[in-house]
Amino acid sequence: VQLQASGGGLVQAGGSLRLSCAASIRTFGSHSVAWFRQAPGKEPEFVAGKGRSGDEPLYTDSVKGRFTISRDNAKNTVYLQMNSLKPEESAVYYCAATPMTSVIWLIPTRRADYRYWGQGTQVTVSS
């Protein structure tokens, strides 16, 4: 299984970026997906997650209203649209996936709950 993240780059404060994560998971639709980020010297942070296509996504409070996570199961891809970016959101962004093992699924927010990880993509927001 591989997760390939892309779309990072340098953007000015207030700008937008769209991250993509392509997964080589045969049953991608049965996996919960998420984005984490890690800034230098800081612990990794849950950013956003999504279970099944019709389920409500979950966001960390600081990105609500600005970030949108979505998934395209036909393309085995998860996206993170990031708007109104702030300099403090500069970090390496990682995508993650894990099988959904119950009908009623609570989106995990801990790194340890995700089985598969991408290599990360750097997002730098200049002030």
Side-chain angles (χ1 to χ4, degrees), residues 71-90:
R71 63 187 301 164
D72 185 338
N73 291 340
K75 296 182 178 179
N76 278 21
T77 301
V78 56
Y79 304 97
L80 185 67
Q81 177 67 43
M82 305 185 295
N83 299 329
S84 302
L85 281 160
K86 304 174 182 179
E88 56 266 34
E89 293 178 316
S90 296

Side-chain angles (χ1 to χ4, degrees), residues 31-34 48-57 69-71 107:
H31 285 67
S32 190
V33 292
K50 187 163 178 65
R52 297 176 179 87
S53 295
D55 293 347
E56 285 294 315
I69 186 171
S70 60
R71 63 187 301 164
I107 298 169

